[in-house]
Amino acid sequence: MSTLSGNWREAIDDVDAALIDGYQSGFPIAERPFRSVAADLGIDESAAVDRVRALRESGIVRRFGAVLNPPVIGSSTLAAVRAPADRFDEIAAVINDYRQVNHNYARDHEWNMWFVVTAGSQDARDDILAEIEDRTGCAVLDLPMLTDYYIDLEFPVVNGDRFARESLEDRTDASATRISEAATGDLSALEAELLLEIQNGFPLSATPYRDIAENVGYAVEDVLEAIERLRETGCIKRIGCVVNHVVTGFDANCMVVWDVPDDSLDEWGERAGGLPSVTLCYHRPRRPEQEWPYNLFTMLHGRDPEAVDAKIDELAADYLPVEHERLYSTETLKQTGARYEDLVGR
């Protein structure tokens, strides 16, 4: 249980709670978006802006703006190494030195260091992996996403849930979406400029889109249309408050890997991805030559490790009755947004 999970609740009221849980997505694409947010919350426009700013400054909201989708915009992969204990910090420093590495976690497994590499092309991504192998002397387990069944870290946090989405009863709409390693976003000049401008978040003002438009030198109407296109094409996954799940107590996250029969993969992936307790579900390749037999990945986030373990037991008994391993994260070694300068070619 996070030591911060109680303190953050004392700092918010019902309106803050409505913002946190109600606007992780669906933030309006309009010249004065906070007007409709304020009307929904029963406050005035400036108060809505101030509350989001206060939530960000307190650390409850990590960022406000668009959640971008690196595999659609560039080429991304999940990778791992077996880092010897006496070289762990050295190897982490080498990997974290790459700006294309935006996440790196220690996990309690033989493959004990897991990181994400996102680059402008598959060749550039693979070159980075080869460099990491050369510089560290560690073989890299390269596991690009092949199918997305469900990927969304949007879930209510103003509650007493022991694991993410525990209080939700309805299944999620999960479906198999193929991911091409070679795919890159077909971006206009404006769309590319926008991705660079918004990658760290939106300006916190009553007119964030107008501010963005002024910064990139386009009319606000053009920017609104381009943001909508980026959302429709999947380059933008959602727009709203990006919640800090660790601060809000969801720090018992577990990556579970499963050895699913290939002919059942889509059926079982969609079934698991539709469960409220599963926050991420996707297909990655087996690597039998590296003794990695697993092809389905799920993530569960919780405040209580025992509750998360019990939910994994249920998942294994009722939905995925196959061999699996549980890889709990033990330390965050690096966590930043993907950098898009290389991805969009600007």
Side-chain angles (χ1 to χ4, degrees):
M1 183 77 71
S2 170
T3 58
L4 298 175
S5 61
N7 298 335
W8 73 277
R9 290 287 298 272
E10 298 172 3
I12 67 170
D13 61 16
D14 290 344
V15 176
D16 290 330
L19 262 173
I20 294 166
D21 280 354
Y23 282 96
Q24 293 179 37
S25 65
F27 186 76
I29 302 175
E31 189 166 353
R32 297 192 75 95
F34 279 100
R35 282 183 174 171
S36 59
V37 173
D40 179 42
L41 298 173
I43 58 178
D44 63 37
E45 182 183 39
S46 62
V49 177
D50 290 343
R51 281 177 178 269
V52 173
R53 182 179 294 110
L55 290 168
R56 188 184 65 181
E57 291 173 352
S58 71
I60 295 171
V61 168
R62 185 160 52 85
R63 185 166 53 83
F64 167 72
V67 175
L68 305 184
N69 197 353
V72 174
I73 301 167
S75 185
S76 184
T77 193
L78 175 67
V81 296
R82 300 183 183 100
D86 60 348
R87 297 184 58 219
F88 191 89
D89 291 345
E90 169 206 340
I91 291 169
V94 169
I95 292 172
N96 291 348
D97 187 51
Y98 288 89
R99 67 179 182 274
Q100 294 91 347
V101 172
N102 54 295
H103 289 79
N104 190 4
Y105 298 98
R107 295 190 180 277
D108 56 350
H109 189 269
E110 178 185 3
W111 294 95
N112 58 351
M113 191 178 299
W114 290 77
F115 54 98
V116 176
V117 177
T118 304
S121 68
Q122 184 178 349
D123 287 344
R125 184 200 75 193
D126 291 347
D127 286 345
I128 291 168
L129 296 179
E131 282 186 21
I132 288 173
E133 284 195 333
D134 289 342
R135 292 178 64 188
T136 64
C138 296
V140 171
L141 183 64
D142 177 18
L143 300 169
M145 187 187 305
L146 302 180
T147 308
D148 162 7
Y149 298 112
Y150 179 74
I151 300 180
D152 196 353
L153 286 179
E154 176 189 356
F155 54 82
V157 299
V158 187
N159 51 42
D161 288 359
R162 299 163 300 162
F163 51 85
R165 298 164 14 118
E166 179 181 15
S167 55
L168 302 182
E169 297 180 356
D170 294 337
R171 288 183 58 85
T172 302
D173 182 16
S175 59
T177 302
R178 309 302 178 201
I179 305 295
S180 170
E181 290 188 75
T184 55
D186 185 13
L187 303 173
S188 69
L190 170 55
E191 289 166 346
E193 291 294 333
L194 280 175
L195 289 176
L196 295 181
E197 182 66 25
I198 68 177
Q199 63 181 322
N200 294 321
F202 285 3
L204 262 173
S205 76
T207 57
Y209 298 108
R210 186 193 301 166
D211 297 345
I212 292 168
E214 291 175 356
N215 290 342
V216 298
Y218 284 83
V220 66
E221 294 80 9
D222 294 334
V223 165
L224 291 170
E225 291 177 3
I227 293 283
E228 186 61 55
R229 284 197 305 274
L230 289 168
R231 190 186 62 79
E232 290 174 352
T233 58
C235 292
I236 291 176
K237 295 176 69 173
R238 57 185 169 94
I239 300 174
C241 295
V242 181
V243 173
N244 188 325
H245 297 115
V246 173
V247 168
T248 55
F250 288 94
D251 54 2
N253 74 78
C254 188
M255 181 174 76
V256 190
V257 293
W258 311 81
D259 180 8
V260 172
D262 292 336
D263 58 1
S264 300
L265 187 56
D266 282 351
E267 177 189 353
W268 289 18
E270 291 181 352
R271 183 170 62 185
L275 297 173
S277 56
V278 174
T279 49
L280 305 173
C281 185
Y282 37 74
H283 164 214
R284 297 184 185 275
R286 307 176 193 274
R287 298 297 190 204
E289 70 281 8
Q290 293 177 284
E291 299 180 345
W292 185 261
Y294 305 107
N295 58 350
L296 186 69
F297 287 60
T298 57
M299 284 289 300
L300 289 84
H301 290 73
R303 294 187 172 112
D304 180 350
E306 292 183 359
V308 173
D309 257 340
K311 184 55 64 173
I312 297 169
D313 289 343
E314 179 184 319
L315 191 59
D318 298 340
Y319 298 95
L320 296 170
V322 291
E323 291 294 320
H324 69 278
E325 292 195 64
R326 309 175 189 206
L327 286 73
Y328 273 99
S329 61
T330 57
E331 184 181 356
T332 299
L333 305 172
K334 183 177 183 181
Q335 186 177 41
T336 64
R339 303 303 303 174
Y340 290 86
E341 285 82 356
D342 293 334
L343 274 65
V344 303
R346 291 292 189 273

